[in-house]
Amino acid sequence: MTKIVIGGQMGKDDIKKDLQKLTSGMNVEITVKSDLDAAMAIQNHQADFYIGACATGAGGALAMATALLGSEKTLTVATPTRVLKPDEIKQGIENGKIAFGFTFNAKDTVLPEIVRALPL
């Protein structure tokens, strides 16, 4: 089973609902946590992937994940001025990224791409 934790600062319940729809029928468990608890779950191997949103895509979305996991494990998928292309998201995952941050208003665009790229 793949475990996804949702941290960050914005829209956690909405992100969970969207992820549940996108992963329907897959062996995936999705849990909402505080950003610190979510990052710690990844660090302690209690979860596989971290997803978070905030106004900038990196600050409140990924700050704790970056602090605990290091920048080599995090990927800002969308900022107010840029949204990564699907192949950039896939490449990030292939390069070991396991924590993803984005602006909340980009969730409908980036969540399907993240789910497609993850090895679920």
Side-chain angles (χ1 to χ4, degrees), residues 3 7 11-12 15-16 26 31 42 45-47 52 64 68 87-88 95 97 103-104 109 113-114:
K3 295 182 179 183
K12 294 178 193 181
I15 292 168
K16 181 178 181 179
M26 298 179 188
T31 307
I42 297 289
H45 306 287
Q46 297 169 340
M64 292 311 307
L68 293 178
D87 61 321
E88 293 173 303
N95 290 337
K97 305 295 186 181
T103 54
F104 182 71
T109 302
E113 297 303 333
I114 292 169

Side-chain angles (χ1 to χ4, degrees), residues 7-54:
Q9 300 299 311
M10 297 176 76
K12 294 178 193 181
D13 292 331
D14 289 335
I15 292 168
K16 181 178 181 179
K17 288 176 191 172
D18 289 349
L19 282 175
Q20 287 172 327
K21 288 178 189 172
L22 291 166
T23 61
S24 178
M26 298 179 188
N27 195 16
V28 176
E29 177 183 295
I30 302 163
T31 307
V32 173
K33 296 181 175 283
S34 70
D35 57 342
L36 177 58
D37 288 340
M40 287 176 61
I42 297 289
Q43 184 182 46
N44 296 327
H45 306 287
Q46 297 169 340
D48 302 297
F49 299 103
Y50 171 106
I51 293 178
C54 71

